[in-house]
């Protein structure tokens, strides 16, 4: 024991750099050793925490998510499900006796129930259209879920199954449309709509709660659930947009429907607001429905505020107008007197408390990037998932004392073994004077075995959105490149969230203006750092970040190499092929035939200046920024004799899946090695595309072609 304490004391005296140096460098394969954590749930008695752990097997190309439970203090973690295809969306029943989850065990995703203490699961629903986003009714008698159906079929599963089966078996594959919004993100609608179904727990029978030719709920990328039960289980609220031109509208509304009346008619309770209303949650006492809302119609990046709808007076009140950062998620206090919410702020995701009576907002917890949070019964303990640039996600607990979080404690150790072996680099931050007198925050990750006396190549990563923020949160990009000898920098220029709504809004109508100036000033500051080699600086970006790479091509030659992924190149043709038309119509102030900004800010108008070697990546199923934008960009680079490489994923959308990302890392390492002279990729793009890196059966690395030939000759 004394020897153990002495060793700990000696370790505390060692400089941090010495500790990092004892670990090996982070690699692409390590990205896939990181286990992700999601769907945290606290049991009704407060004694257990349920969560989903997702593991990846890069070598075999397999990934699985399974349900785990641990004691409230983090003890006794145990795996609850073992299905070959995995399980997700777990929930405790209101009485705590059952766990529901979604799994594909018999040819489609359906709801399953199992005893909370463990045991055999039984299938509850049997719908051919699949199950997503389940939610228990407070009385425990029903579970709501969303599914995509043909409106003419609604809840008639045989009808849905017949149409889908005929389409699947047909020798003809084609899409038809008579109006816009015919496809979205990665899928063609082909006549389907998202509806909410209500399944009876006693017998599994499900009925269509939102029939008709509308999406209910509307599509969203993550975020809070778009429907909720009233505390007495007699009413239901959901989100839907009934505008005639949904491709140009963000007018989601809250609709309420009785669950007990015969032939109930849904009622729009936010019809007066022509902008976004969503994420509804009833207060525990049933008096209010809290929700997120925006005020500017057709502007997806307007300020997300919190509002409450008073069910007695049928009136809405905005509660957070003075809070000028986006509100992302929220929870009611048990006494219905306060709302706890998470928001973007300076590269973090803190939690705040809003008092309903005074509308006063107080800080509760700031702990890097908080992805999910729940309260234990009684409201005195906060359970949350947290990550930082140098720390993969884990589950934490904090006491709530006088409305403040205290005694934060890590209670899971899912990624501890990896973190003890591999050098997962932390981020530092600095502020740079940007355009228009604004301050721009920049995060910097130094390379493995960093030596302040050396000069390193640097990669500047520009985020997409464009209205979002880089956070101090774990991400593969922040580790793969430092593990290969690069300094990585990522900034939050104009248009980023978390620095006030005015800062966010200033990018609209100014795509290549303030942001470009910000990034040039950031690059100026970075190249002055004593450990950065100003002659070996590169840049990369995705979505709007890809647009900025295309813009860099025509406006600066300071970078030795750049990489553009899913970027916008020709803004006029982009408008004609994208789906969410409200996006360019707001950010570029009209349509191509009514706004000169499509010409002013289009990288395609500056092709004659192209000269920087560029990697171009996109996916054929990207309907947000169609991959033809990247084809046009690559053609321009080639015709200007600029060294360039094109990679097009056959099945990827705007975001490649977990396995496709391995090619992304490979391609960037290979590209930047060529022009910035950092470490190269562990295998080539060609090898990975040709499936020549791993043996899918054994999971072992295959020898390179040269190595195999040499071995065969011996």
């Amino acid at each position: 024991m004394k020897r153990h304490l002495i060793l700990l004391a000696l370790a505390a005296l060692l400089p941090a750099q010495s500790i990092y140096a004892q670990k090996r460098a982070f690699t692409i394969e390590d990205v896939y050793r990181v286990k992700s954590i999601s769907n945290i749930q606290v049991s009704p008695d407060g004694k257990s925490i349920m969560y989903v752990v997702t593991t990846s097997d890069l070598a075999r190309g397999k990934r699985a998510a399974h349900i785990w439970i641990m004691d409230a203090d983090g003890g006794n973690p145990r795996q609850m499900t073992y299905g070959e295809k995995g399980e997700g969306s777990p929930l405790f029943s209101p009485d705590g006796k059952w766990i529901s989850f979604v799994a594909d065990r018999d040819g489609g995703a359906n709801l399953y129930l199992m005893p909370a203490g463990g045991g055999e699961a039984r299938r509850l629903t049997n719908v051919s259209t699949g199950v997503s986003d389940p939610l228990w009714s407070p009385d425990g008698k029903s579970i709501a879920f969303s599914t995509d159906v043909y409106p003419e079929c609604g809840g008639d599963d045989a009808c849905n199954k017949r149409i889908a089966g005929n389409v699947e078996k047909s020798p003809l594959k084609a899409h038809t449309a008579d109006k816009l919004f015919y496809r979205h993100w990665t899928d063609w609608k082909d006549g389907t709509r998202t509806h909410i179904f209500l399944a009876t727990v006693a017998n599994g029978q499900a009925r269509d709660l939102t029939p008709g030719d509308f999406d209910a709920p509307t599509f969203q990328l993550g975020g809070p659930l778009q429907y909720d039960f009233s505390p007495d289980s007699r009413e239901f609220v959901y989100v839907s947009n009934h505008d005639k031109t949904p491709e140009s509208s963000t007018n989601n509304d809250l609709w309420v429907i009785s669950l007990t009346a015969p032939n109930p008619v849904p009622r729009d309770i936010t019809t007066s607001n022509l902008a976004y209303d969503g994420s509804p949650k009833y207060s525990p006492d049933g008096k209010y429905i809290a929700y997120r809302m925006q005020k500017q119609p057709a502007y997806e990046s307007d300020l997300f505020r919190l509002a409450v709808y008073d069910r007695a007076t049928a009136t809405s009140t905005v509660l957070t107008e003075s809070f000028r950062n986006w509100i992302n998620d929220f929870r009611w206090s048990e006494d219905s007197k306060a709302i706890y919410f998470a928001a973007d702020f300076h590269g973090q995701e803190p939690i705040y408390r809003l008092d309903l009576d005074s509308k006063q907002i107080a800080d509760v917890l700031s702990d890097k990037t908080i992805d999910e949070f729940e309260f234990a019964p009684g409201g005195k303990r906060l359970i949350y998932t947290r990550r930082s640039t140098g720390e993969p996600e884990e589950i934490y607990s904090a006491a709530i004392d006088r409305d403040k979080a205290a005694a934060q404690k890590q209670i899971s150790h899912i990624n501890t073994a990896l973190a003890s072996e591999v050098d997962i680099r932390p981020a530092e931050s600095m502020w740079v004077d940007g355009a228009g007198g604004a301050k721009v925050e920049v995060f910097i990750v130094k390379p493995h075995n960093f030596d302040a006396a050396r000069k390193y190549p640097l990669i500047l990563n520009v985020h997409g959105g464009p209205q979002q923020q880089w956070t101090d949160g774990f991400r593969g990009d922040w580790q793969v490149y430092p593990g290969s000898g690069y300094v990585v920098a990522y900034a939050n220029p104009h248009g980023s969230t978390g620095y006030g709504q005015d800062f966010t809004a200033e990018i609209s109508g100014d795509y290549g203006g303030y942001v470009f100036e910000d990034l040039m000033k950031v690059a100026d500051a970075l190249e002055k750092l004593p450990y950065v080699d100003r002659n070996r600086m590169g840049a990369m970006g995705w979505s709007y970040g890809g647009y900025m790479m295309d813009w860099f091509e025509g406006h600066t030659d300071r970078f030795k190499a750049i990489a553009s992924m899913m970027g916008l190149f020709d803004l006029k043709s982009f408008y004609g092929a994208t789906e969410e038309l409200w996006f360019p119509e707001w950010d570029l102030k009209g349509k191509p035939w009514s706004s000169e900004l499509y010409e002013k800010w289009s990288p395609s108008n500056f092709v004659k200046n192209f000269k920087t070697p560029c990697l171009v990546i996109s996916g054929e199923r990207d309907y947000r920024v169609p991959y033809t934008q990247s084809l046009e960009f690559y053609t321009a680079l080639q015709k200007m004799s600029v060294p360039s490489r094109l990679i097009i994923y056959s099945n990827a959308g705007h975001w490649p899946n977990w396995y496709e990302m391995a090619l992304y890392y490979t391609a960037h390492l290979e590209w930047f090695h060529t022009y910035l002279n950092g470490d190269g990729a562990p295998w080539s793009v060609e090898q990975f595309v040709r499936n020549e890196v791993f043996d899918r059966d054994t999971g072992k690395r295959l020898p390179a072609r040269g190595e195999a030939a040499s071995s065969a000759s011996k």
Side-chain angles (χ1 to χ4, degrees):
M1 181 66 181
K2 287 183 178 180
R3 181 177 180 275
H4 178 67
L5 291 174
I6 292 171
L7 290 174
L8 286 176
L10 289 172
L13 295 173
L14 290 172
Q17 191 56 48
S18 175
I19 296 173
Y20 288 129
Q22 296 171 23
K23 302 179 181 181
R24 65 171 177 80
F26 197 97
T27 68
I28 293 176
E29 289 180 83
D30 290 320
V31 174
Y32 297 93
R33 294 178 62 202
V34 175
K35 300 174 183 178
S36 67
I37 305 166
S38 60
N39 296 110
I40 58 169
Q41 304 285 326
V42 182
S43 63
D45 63 8
K47 295 180 179 179
S48 302
I49 298 170
M50 181 166 57
Y51 51 98
V52 173
V53 176
T54 301
T55 57
S56 305
D57 186 341
L58 175 64
R60 293 178 175 85
K62 294 181 179 180
R63 199 177 210 201
H66 295 297
I67 299 166
W68 287 66
I69 286 182
M70 64 181 175
D71 297 343
D73 62 0
N76 192 28
R78 61 262 189 208
Q79 186 173 336
M80 302 293 288
T81 59
Y82 295 87
E84 182 180 352
K85 295 182 180 180
E87 303 83 18
S89 303
L91 295 169
F92 286 104
S93 61
D95 62 9
K97 295 180 179 179
W98 298 93
I99 293 170
S100 65
F101 60 88
V102 176
D104 180 359
R105 295 184 173 180
D106 298 293
N110 271 284
L111 277 171
Y112 288 76
L113 291 178
M114 66 182 295
E120 289 298 316
R122 65 178 176 88
R123 187 169 69 181
L124 178 65
T125 60
N126 186 19
V127 293
S128 63
T129 52
V131 169
S132 298
D133 298 324
L135 178 69
W136 282 82
S137 62
D139 64 8
K141 296 180 180 180
S142 304
I143 300 177
F145 62 89
S146 64
T147 188
D148 289 349
V149 299
Y150 293 97
E152 61 267 37
C153 298
D156 183 347
D157 192 62
C159 175
N160 283 301
K161 193 172 184 177
R162 175 180 56 80
I163 296 176
N166 288 341
V167 171
E168 180 66 26
K169 290 183 290 186
S170 173
L172 173 66
K173 303 301 179 186
H175 306 286
T176 63
D178 296 303
K179 53 187 176 182
L180 292 175
F181 228 27
Y182 47 82
R183 64 181 189 176
H184 201 190
W185 280 89
T186 58
D187 297 296
W188 289 77
K189 297 294 289 184
D190 289 332
T192 62
R193 291 290 191 178
T194 301
H195 284 182
I196 301 166
F197 278 41
L198 201 62
T200 302
V201 173
N203 57 25
Q205 292 182 358
R207 64 184 176 96
D208 189 349
L209 194 60
T210 59
D213 194 17
F214 299 100
D215 288 319
T218 51
F219 175 87
Q220 70 171 13
L221 291 170
L225 200 61
Q226 296 290 63
Y227 43 87
D228 195 24
F229 288 94
S230 63
D232 60 8
S233 301
R234 297 174 62 85
E235 186 179 87
F236 193 82
V237 61
Y238 62 91
V239 177
S240 188
N241 183 343
H242 288 199
D243 279 8
K244 293 182 179 180
T245 55
E247 75 282 352
S248 293
S249 167
T250 59
N251 188 24
N252 288 355
D253 281 329
L254 303 187
W255 298 73
V256 295
I257 186 170
S258 171
L259 296 180
T260 57
N263 303 314
V265 177
R267 179 167 52 93
D268 185 349
I269 62 173
T270 57
T271 186
S272 62
N273 182 31
L274 300 181
Y276 172 92
D277 302 294
S279 313
K281 285 187 176 73
Y282 285 89
S283 60
D285 63 12
K287 293 181 179 179
Y288 305 103
I289 300 174
Y291 61 100
R292 298 192 308 150
M293 60 89 70
Q294 297 174 317
K295 290 186 174 181
Q296 179 61 56
Y299 178 28
E300 71 171 21
S301 297
D302 188 26
L303 181 69
F304 282 98
R305 305 156 172 89
L306 267 183
V308 291
Y309 173 79
D310 188 318
R311 298 175 71 197
T313 63
T315 57
S316 288
T317 303
V318 177
L319 302 176
T320 60
E321 190 61 40
S322 63
F323 188 85
R324 305 304 292 173
N325 286 311
W326 288 12
I327 293 172
N328 299 321
D329 199 0
F330 64 92
R331 300 287 183 273
W332 279 96
S333 64
E334 287 189 356
D335 61 10
S336 300
K337 294 181 179 180
I339 298 174
Y340 293 86
F341 66 86
D344 294 349
F345 182 74
H346 288 193
Q348 297 195 35
E349 297 284 338
I351 296 174
Y352 302 85
R353 181 184 185 274
L354 166 68
D355 181 82
L356 249 63
D357 288 338
S358 67
K359 297 185 182 178
Q360 293 296 308
I361 296 172
D363 297 341
V364 175
L365 174 64
S366 182
D367 197 5
K368 304 295 184 180
T369 299
I370 298 173
D371 289 315
E372 299 181 29
F373 69 97
E374 297 289 344
F375 285 93
K380 296 299 183 183
R381 183 156 295 278
L382 178 68
I383 307 298
Y384 62 99
T385 58
R386 176 258 193 204
R387 59 192 165 96
S388 72
T389 299
E391 299 166 297
E393 196 144 42
E394 294 287 358
I395 303 173
Y396 289 74
S397 172
I400 300 298
D401 183 17
R402 299 178 184 178
D403 301 324
K404 292 276 190 179
Q408 295 100 302
K409 179 184 177 183
Q410 180 179 334
I411 58 174
S412 75
H413 299 278
I414 295 163
N415 289 300
T416 299
L418 177 65
S420 66
E421 171 193 342
V422 181
D423 182 10
I424 304 178
R425 306 294 295 164
E428 304 171 4
S429 68
M430 69 178 186
W431 292 80
V432 173
D433 291 332
K439 295 285 187 180
V440 175
E441 188 171 20
V442 186
F443 294 94
I444 300 169
V445 184
K446 295 174 181 175
H448 175 65
N449 281 343
F450 175 74
D451 181 350
R454 288 183 55 191
K455 294 278 190 179
Y456 294 92
L458 176 139
I459 302 170
L460 173 63
N461 195 322
V462 180
H463 69 63
Q467 295 92 345
Q468 68 172 52
Q469 65 166 357
W470 281 136
T471 69
D472 187 349
F474 181 87
R475 178 183 170 92
D477 282 310
W478 310 155
Q479 301 304 326
V480 168
Y481 312 122
S484 296
Y486 295 91
V487 175
V488 168
Y490 48 105
N492 283 325
H494 276 84
S496 301
T497 57
Y499 301 86
Q501 182 61 23
D502 290 345
F503 188 79
T504 301
E506 284 176 335
I507 193 174
S508 298
D510 188 47
Y511 257 34
Y514 269 12
V515 181
F516 178 73
E517 186 178 342
D518 285 343
L519 294 170
M520 292 301 97
K521 291 185 174 183
V522 166
D524 290 341
L526 291 170
E527 70 177 23
K528 293 176 183 176
L529 295 174
Y531 50 85
V532 169
D533 186 341
R534 67 187 305 272
N535 295 312
R536 290 192 294 157
M537 292 176 62
M540 61 186 290
W542 191 331
S543 192
Y544 174 83
Y547 162 86
M548 186 50 62
M549 297 305 104
D550 299 7
W551 190 256
F552 280 1
E553 273 289 354
H555 293 83
T556 180
D557 59 1
R558 73 185 305 160
F559 299 107
K560 300 306 177 188
I562 59 178
S564 171
M565 188 165 179
M566 280 74 173
L568 293 76
F569 173 66
D570 184 82
L571 298 183
K572 282 188 174 181
S573 60
F574 164 75
Y575 179 87
T578 191
E579 8 80 306
E580 295 178 355
L581 293 180
W582 65 75
F583 175 76
E585 287 173 356
W586 180 269
D587 269 6
L588 295 170
K589 304 307 176 187
K591 304 172 181 65
W593 48 89
S594 64
S595 172
E596 63 179 12
L597 298 184
Y598 287 84
E599 288 286 345
K600 180 178 181 179
W601 299 124
S602 184
S604 61
N605 289 329
F606 302 92
V607 172
K608 64 182 181 181
N609 299 330
F610 285 10
K611 58 177 67 72
T612 304
C614 187
L615 170 68
V616 184
I617 303 178
S618 191
E620 289 188 21
R621 292 183 62 191
D622 185 355
Y623 305 149
R624 185 80 279 277
V625 180
Y627 81 103
T628 50
Q629 291 288 298
S630 291
L631 298 185
E632 293 180 48
F633 181 45
Y634 179 70
T635 297
L637 289 163
Q638 285 283 305
K639 298 308 290 185
M640 289 299 295
S641 300
V642 177
S644 46
R645 164 171 257 183
L646 176 69
I647 295 175
I648 300 294
Y649 293 101
S650 297
N651 296 317
H654 200 55
W655 294 325
N657 69 23
W658 70 275
Y659 186 78
E660 292 165 334
M661 283 296 293
L663 176 61
Y664 161 94
Y665 297 125
T666 301
H668 282 80
L669 280 178
E670 194 172 78
W671 192 252
F672 288 128
H673 169 69
T674 300
Y675 294 98
L676 305 184
N677 201 32
D679 293 343
W683 46 74
S684 71
V685 165
E686 180 182 278
Q687 287 174 315
F688 200 80
V689 169
R690 293 182 176 182
N691 197 25
E692 295 175 346
V693 176
F694 297 105
D695 184 311
R696 296 296 177 199
D697 295 323
T698 66
K700 295 181 179 180
R701 284 281 299 272
L702 294 171
R705 284 191 296 269
E707 295 174 6
S710 176
S711 297
S713 66
K714 292 181 180 179

